[in-house]
Amino acid sequence: MNTFTPDARAALGHAGLGRRDFLKGAGALIVGFSAGGLRTAKAQFGGPSPGAPAMNRLDSWIAIGADGGVTAYSGKEELGQGIATAQAQLVAEELSVPFDRVNLIYCDTALTPDQAYTAGSQSHPANFNQNNLAQAGATAREALLQLGSKRLGVSVDQLTAADGTIRVKSDPLRAVSYGELVGGKKFNLTLNPNAKRKPVREWTVLGKPVPRPDIREMVTGQFEFVHNVRVPGMLHGKVVRPPAVGATVVSVDESSVKNVAGLVKVVVRKNFVGVVAEKAWQAIQAATQLKVTWAPGVGLPDQAGFYNHLRTLPARDALLVDSGDVDQTLAGAATVVKATYLHPYQMHGSMGSSCAVADVQGDKATLWSPTQGVWYQKSTVALLLGLKAENVHVIFRRGSGCYGLNGADTVTYDAALLSHAVGKPVRVQLSRKDEMAWENYGNAYVMDERVGLDGQGNIIAWHHESWSPSLGNRPGPGTPGNIITGYLAGFQPQAFAPRTPAPPPTGFNNNNNGVPSYVAGGVGGRSRGTGTVKSELVLTHTVESPFWTGPLRSPNRLQNTFAHECFLDELAARVKADPVEYRLRHLKDARLIEVVKEAAKAANWETRPSPQPLPRKTGVVTGRGMACVLYEGDNGYSALVAEVEVNQDTGRVTVKRLVACNDVGPVSNPDGLRNQIEGGALQGLSRALGEEVTWDSEKVTSVDWRTYHTLPMGFAVPKIEAVLLDRPDAEATGAGETSITVLAAALGNAIFDATGARLRQIPFTTERVKKALAARG
Amino acid sequence: MGFDPTLNGMSAITLKVNGRSHKLDLDPSTPLLYALSDDLALNGPKFGCGLGQCGACTVIVKGQAIRSCITPVRSVAGADITTLEGIGTADKPHPLQRAFIEEQAAQCGFCVNGVILTAKAFLDKNPKATEPEIEQALSGVLCRCFASVRMLRAIQKAGQEMAR
Ligand code: FES
Ligand code: FES
């Protein structure tokens, strides 16, 4: 049975691989390859942190125990997306060992390489192409073959490697195992950029639906989440957050809790307030009972007028593309079509409120954290507590699914501050309300679309402009104030600097999918977009947000894609073209074209314009809609068809069937990918139909599952079909955000197809659906 | 009788969990969830919301799926309490647990405690349940990863086996 963190960490000792000793141990190899030429994935922000294992050393990634077991070290962690299993498959494949002989340790600042955040669908690009973990596997395999050749006295081309053993092809009994060759010793090699990867067509472990070993532990209640970390002598902490946005502490009356049994300490640091007690229930009682006098908050803008308010704020402007001729082309167009799309703040709303354990004693800290970036936790907790970063050890432990920047980082700060104050280990789990009221929400958006059509109904110019509020972000290096706890403790979020006008774009970057799929993406004399329309302008305005914001699954990309892909259907309807045909008419990227065609084919797409002919104005009607995207501009092709039923009397929308086609390069684990496509699509459905952060004049009011509306388990779950295109020769891309990015748009288009009513504001609540239906006249 | 925050008196309480009795010294108003996870170190029941809204903390008492986050220990003292650990093990999983493994019906796994135990309490009483009835029975449980397709498939599959 293979093990992943945390058990794999314990297993190191048994394998004779105490990591520190191991790094010092004698080398098995003296050969070395020239460094350089290795590609680094784009998720690397300014290179590894001080003290992190060297990215270009094989021993930073892979170790072989005396028993022949393989331990792999990764900076990309399991968050429930199945990447641990895929990484273990990768190592098994490249090294030619059985899957269950691979242990995987991820995201522990004492052990694993710094691969920045596990986020942005970057784990596959980072570790499965010609770089990092994959290249370590290939380097190790070649090194083992060389060692085997020496040991067996036979040239490398006469040898095969399988099952952790090197054999002479002509005489399979002449063999030596990996354990015999390097067991317990280090390789002492630089990653070889030229080491040959296993060709996809020869895969026996990767590409297979290998079951996740952790699911067995989870469904039997054995799995240890960060919520289950129990350190000897551990106390329990609770935080007391401000009653309103921007409220500050005037005074704290410690006598108000002196009768609470088990209370250890009331902790105040600037506007951070918390309590520590022996038991969780006691801490909750103390936190509820503690009398804190707060100065009033800053007041919040009226939610009803919020989207228009955004347009009036000082902004930081950016141009993604600007062909310089859009106004002129629009002026000469046969028709100009305009629409505005609106997207609310939404929350991660993790199933479990966030939890962390900290043990700060003297000048040293150990943190068990569900953070997506252990190395940034390390450097920012050091700032927060005034410790040296080298004295802070961060061990990733799984929390509940985060889908981006939920409360994981902030609760780790909470635990660190409280443990620091009492000098003992402290566990903190946020209350549901503290999680929901203060997390870094996914951005709200206002998006204006304006397109010019020629006499034949072709798009000749596309103008897109958006306004989006932002405050804080992930706690990157040096910014603990990017999240609520760091801010309450006295740190500032990353600075906001308005800038108008925007400078001209210098390179094409469609990371936020701000640029629609149908334009050329011309910057600096090259066209790197996926479409054909040459007259193009995309201008974004970032403004200051009253709430904390940060990445939420498919950040910005989902919002932009919602607007672009719905608007494309508005244009198709205007010229009475079939929505799929109209897409294909303006696309030039062959792989995007193919996912669109394959999704349509699998869904038995009926070619005709939307809406469906002569929709009835009452009762239940059905329709279908499509949307597509090249995620992040370069990280996974996705097209989705949604089939819906709309009850025109009640406004109720029921999705009957979803067909998702993905091209994400060679697929590591088809079942894992399907799981992501299904979950992403349904999470997208929940976000499209019900989810919206709400507030009053001073505070957030969507603070539990009664006030923040998610779809429950038993809602009418649609049939979901995933079509996976086989791309053995392409690079591996991310796949965790492909289906969620297109869901809202496909749904909006399907509702329009069924009813002729266009919804331009998320969520599509029954009230909004009814209003849009009434507006048809 | 309400909970009096000024009291916090401890009393000896016996909890019978998965067939074993434990004598604990607890404030009787303590929600059962904390006793299970902190005092008895069980990993199955989880704190999701603490408000009875999500199901993550579900345990089975007298055949009923109840929410341990809002159940004071004093109200279940002496009663038979079953947690996720109590219905099967990694080597000998309950049919529901086995079906979840076979269908790979989880992502982060934080919700599976509530999903499996809610389904078990329901299927034990309604062995012939139809698909819509199962969906209805689970309508008070959340999975924010939305592994719902697989979970419902796994429950159906296990239901057939349990009915045999
Ligand atoms: S934790 Fe008990 S119902 Fe949510
Ligand atoms: S699997 Fe993550 S909440 Fe259900």
Side-chain angles (χ1 to χ4, degrees):
Chain A
M1 211 346 239
N2 46 348
T3 54
F4 300 151
T5 315
D7 296 343
R9 196 165 193 272
L12 271 182
H14 306 301
L17 292 173
R19 176 72 172 168
R20 298 206 174 278
D21 298 349
F22 180 68
L23 284 174
K24 278 191 234 119
L29 284 165
I30 37 160
V31 280
F33 301 108
S34 67
L38 267 188
R39 305 191 7 228
T40 37
K42 72 175 176 190
Q44 298 302 325
F45 303 98
S49 306
M55 299 290 281
N56 65 347
R57 300 298 296 171
L58 178 52
D59 297 309
S60 302
W61 299 97
I62 285 172
I64 293 179
D67 59 356
V70 176
T71 300
Y73 302 93
S74 169
K76 298 294 184 185
E77 69 208 24
E78 178 64 40
L79 297 163
Q81 79 282 47
I83 198 70
T85 300
Q87 291 183 107
Q89 286 176 264
L90 168 72
V91 172
E93 187 67 66
E94 295 299 341
L95 275 176
S96 300
V97 297
F99 173 75
D100 60 10
R101 220 176 288 166
V102 178
N103 294 336
L104 183 71
I105 298 181
Y106 42 83
C107 297
D108 179 328
T109 57
L111 295 171
T112 59
D114 175 5
Q115 295 194 277
Y117 302 108
T118 301
S121 290
Q122 290 298 319
S123 296
H124 262 90
N127 274 350
F128 288 72
N129 293 322
Q130 265 55 45
N131 45 29
N132 301 325
L133 187 59
Q135 209 57 24
T139 302
R141 186 166 176 277
E142 288 199 349
L144 287 159
L145 279 165
Q146 283 183 26
L147 283 171
S149 151
K150 253 189 227 155
R151 178 78 67 95
L152 297 169
V154 174
S155 67
V156 167
D157 58 352
Q158 302 295 305
L159 298 174
T160 62
D163 224 7
T165 301
I166 307 226
R167 292 191 161 79
V168 179
K169 281 182 190 159
S170 57
D171 181 5
L173 289 180
R174 281 177 68 197
V176 58
S177 73
Y178 294 176
E180 290 168 311
L181 286 172
V182 284
K185 298 199 209 84
K186 65 176 181 177
F187 284 98
N188 203 14
L189 282 179
T190 300
L191 286 203
N192 177 8
N194 304 316
K196 269 192 62 192
R197 301 276 315 281
K198 278 262 188 77
V200 173
R201 289 175 183 82
E202 289 172 26
W203 280 357
T204 58
V205 188
L206 265 179
K208 307 291 172 222
V210 174
R212 284 171 50 183
D214 49 340
I215 288 183
R216 179 178 293 269
E217 291 173 56
M218 297 190 309
V219 302
T220 51
Q222 298 308 308
F223 188 82
E224 192 187 286
F225 286 87
V226 68
H227 304 75
N228 308 117
V229 168
R230 300 174 184 99
V231 179
M234 184 174 85
L235 303 171
H236 294 264
K238 282 282 158 190
V239 294
V240 181
R241 297 280 196 240
V245 172
T248 51
V249 172
V250 175
S251 64
V252 177
D253 175 9
E254 292 198 24
S255 70
S256 61
V257 288
K258 67 175 187 304
N259 62 344
V260 176
L263 179 73
V264 175
K265 192 164 184 163
V266 174
V267 180
V268 183
R269 179 159 155 193
K270 216 168 172 213
N271 296 306
F272 171 84
V273 181
V275 296
V276 181
E278 282 161 21
K279 287 180 170 276
W281 184 234
Q282 296 165 334
I284 290 170
Q285 285 167 298
T288 315
Q289 205 174 304
L290 184 69
K291 264 176 87 182
V292 183
T293 308
W294 299 90
V298 290
L300 295 173
D302 179 27
Q303 182 155 17
F306 186 64
Y307 291 119
N308 283 330
H309 169 69
L310 292 180
R311 295 176 188 263
T312 66
L313 297 175
R316 182 169 181 84
D317 293 352
L319 273 169
L320 302 188
V321 288
D322 181 8
S323 57
D325 62 349
V326 168
D327 282 338
Q328 206 183 328
T329 319
L330 285 171
T335 319
V336 174
V337 187
K338 294 183 203 172
T340 295
Y341 286 83
L342 305 172
H343 194 286
Y345 289 106
Q346 291 180 329
M347 60 176 80
H348 304 78
S350 289
M351 182 70 194
S353 58
S354 297
C355 178
V357 177
D359 187 4
V360 186
Q361 311 222 12
D363 61 354
K364 290 202 165 49
T366 307
L367 306 160
W368 292 266
S369 168
T371 178
Q372 289 176 279
V374 285
W375 292 93
Y376 300 120
Q377 267 293 332
K378 183 181 166 86
S379 61
T380 56
V381 164
L383 279 174
L384 193 68
L385 302 184
L387 304 179
K388 287 191 182 134
E390 70 226 47
N391 286 347
V392 179
H393 178 192
V394 184
I395 302 166
F396 171 78
R397 282 297 163 83
R398 280 164 65 179
S400 85
C402 63
Y403 330 114
L405 180 59
N406 67 347
D409 285 304
T410 222
V411 78
T412 310
Y413 289 1
D414 291 328
L417 286 168
L418 294 178
S419 173
H420 188 56
V422 296
K424 295 211 174 87
V426 175
R427 173 190 189 273
V428 180
Q429 181 167 16
L430 297 176
S431 72
R432 175 62 23 204
K433 180 179 172 190
D434 288 340
E435 175 92 14
M436 286 187 159
W438 298 102
E439 62 153 85
N440 295 59
Y441 302 130
N443 296 89
Y445 257 86
V446 175
M447 295 160 285
D448 283 352
E449 303 278 15
R450 190 153 56 106
V451 154
L453 303 173
D454 68 14
Q456 286 75 52
N458 299 311
I459 303 171
I460 52 169
W462 196 311
H463 185 286
H464 174 76
E465 196 170 352
S466 68
W467 289 260
S468 178
S470 161
L471 173 67
N473 201 334
R474 293 186 188 283
T479 46
N482 268 355
I483 52 179
I484 182 65
T485 305
Y487 177 71
L488 292 174
F491 291 86
Q492 289 303 310
Q494 64 198 26
F496 174 76
R499 174 184 69 183
T500 308
T506 50
F508 183 72
N509 178 345
N510 203 14
N511 189 255
N512 284 337
N513 289 117
V515 181
S517 296
Y518 309 96
V519 302
V523 178
R526 289 178 63 199
S527 292
R528 290 175 53 212
T530 50
T532 53
V533 179
K534 292 207 170 58
S535 185
E536 52 184 350
L537 186 142
V538 174
L539 173 60
T540 67
H541 309 276
T542 306
V543 300
E544 263 190 304
S545 168
F547 311 108
W548 300 92
T549 61
L552 165 63
R553 201 172 186 182
S554 192
N556 313 308
R557 301 145 198 158
L558 189 162
Q559 291 90 330
N560 284 320
T561 303
F562 163 60
H564 295 327
E565 288 296 303
C566 283
F567 192 58
L568 192 280
D569 269 42
E570 293 204 49
L571 301 171
R574 177 68 71 103
V575 303
K576 303 211 167 17
D578 171 76
V580 169
E581 183 276 318
Y582 199 66
R583 280 182 171 73
L584 297 175
R585 211 197 282 184
H586 297 96
L587 287 176
K588 68 162 187 252
D589 185 291
R591 290 171 74 183
L592 190 53
I593 288 171
E594 190 164 352
V595 291
V596 168
K597 285 185 174 167
E598 291 298 319
K601 194 166 113 196
N604 287 320
W605 181 270
E606 186 196 338
T607 303
R608 56 166 175 77
S610 289
Q612 59 156 329
L614 304 172
R616 278 180 293 126
K617 294 273 169 81
T618 55
V620 175
V621 284
T622 59
R624 87 290 195 250
M626 133 100 53
C628 68
V629 75
L630 168 53
Y631 184 71
E632 292 180 344
D634 64 359
N635 196 16
Y637 294 86
S638 165
L640 184 134
V641 174
E643 294 179 6
V644 302
E645 247 177 44
V646 183
N647 183 325
Q648 299 180 100
D649 309 322
T650 63
R652 195 182 148 86
V653 174
T654 311
V655 178
K656 305 305 279 186
R657 181 184 181 215
L658 297 170
V659 179
C661 180
N662 267 14
D663 166 2
V664 293
V667 176
S668 300
N669 185 319
D671 189 59
L673 175 55
R674 282 175 203 281
N675 201 348
Q676 282 301 300
I677 290 174
E678 293 163 7
L682 295 185
Q683 194 177 59
L685 184 58
S686 179
R687 285 175 63 176
L689 287 179
E691 298 186 30
E692 172 164 29
V693 172
T694 56
W695 63 89
D696 63 17
S697 59
E698 53 178 14
K699 62 183 184 304
V700 170
T701 51
S702 47
V703 291
D704 61 17
W705 298 121
R706 299 270 178 270
T707 47
Y708 188 77
H709 305 291
T710 176
L711 289 176
M713 261 301 285
F715 75 98
V717 177
K719 228 174 117 203
I720 305 182
E721 293 152 57
V723 180
L724 314 181
L725 299 189
D726 185 26
R727 293 284 187 199
D729 301 315
E731 297 223 313
T733 73
E737 300 170 285
T738 46
S739 68
I740 198 169
T741 306
V742 285
L743 191 287
L747 180 63
N749 290 339
I751 295 171
F752 176 77
D753 184 55
T755 64
R758 173 58 64 183
L759 287 143
R760 299 192 186 90
Q761 179 170 4
I762 285 182
F764 304 156
T765 57
T766 50
E767 286 317 305
R768 288 206 181 108
V769 173
K770 277 202 283 195
K771 237 172 108 188
L773 290 169
R776 288 175 304 181
Chain B
M1 125 184 151
F3 142 69
D4 180 351
T6 58
L7 264 178
N8 328 116
M10 299 288 199
S11 11
I13 289 198
T14 301
L15 291 181
K16 258 173 81 183
V17 181
N18 301 329
R20 281 185 52 194
S21 284
H22 305 266
K23 238 207 180 115
L24 299 172
D25 206 19
L26 286 173
D27 170 353
S29 68
T30 305
L32 174 61
L33 175 61
Y34 302 110
L36 297 174
S37 26
D38 297 338
D39 298 289
L40 301 182
L42 291 168
N43 292 355
K46 300 201 167 51
F47 181 99
C49 65
L51 304 165
Q53 297 175 350
C54 74
C57 61
T58 301
V59 298
I60 296 180
V61 180
K62 299 194 199 101
Q64 296 280 9
I66 64 150
R67 306 211 156 171
S68 68
C69 70
I70 48 167
T71 305
V73 282
R74 65 164 174 262
S75 70
V76 288
D80 275 312
I81 301 165
T82 306
T83 73
L84 189 59
E85 291 90 338
I87 68 167
T89 62
D91 297 329
K92 278 186 88 177
H94 181 275
L96 273 161
Q97 293 169 319
R98 190 163 55 238
F100 271 63
I101 297 165
E102 284 166 6
E103 296 296 326
Q104 291 284 288
Q107 287 190 18
C108 79
F110 206 85
C111 66
V112 292
N113 175 69
V115 177
I116 291 180
L117 291 183
T118 305
K120 178 175 188 300
F122 177 73
L123 289 174
D124 282 346
K125 287 204 206 100
N126 307 278
K128 298 244 146 65
T130 61
E131 196 173 329
E133 284 166 351
I134 291 175
E135 288 187 3
Q136 181 59 34
L138 284 154
S139 61
V141 176
L142 303 184
C143 170
R144 284 287 291 167
C145 297
F146 291 90
S148 329
V149 177
R150 287 157 184 254
M151 290 186 176
L152 292 169
R153 196 160 62 215
I155 293 167
Q156 224 119 52
K157 187 168 169 181
Q160 281 158 14
E161 192 184 330
M162 287 162 70
R164 259 188 242 132

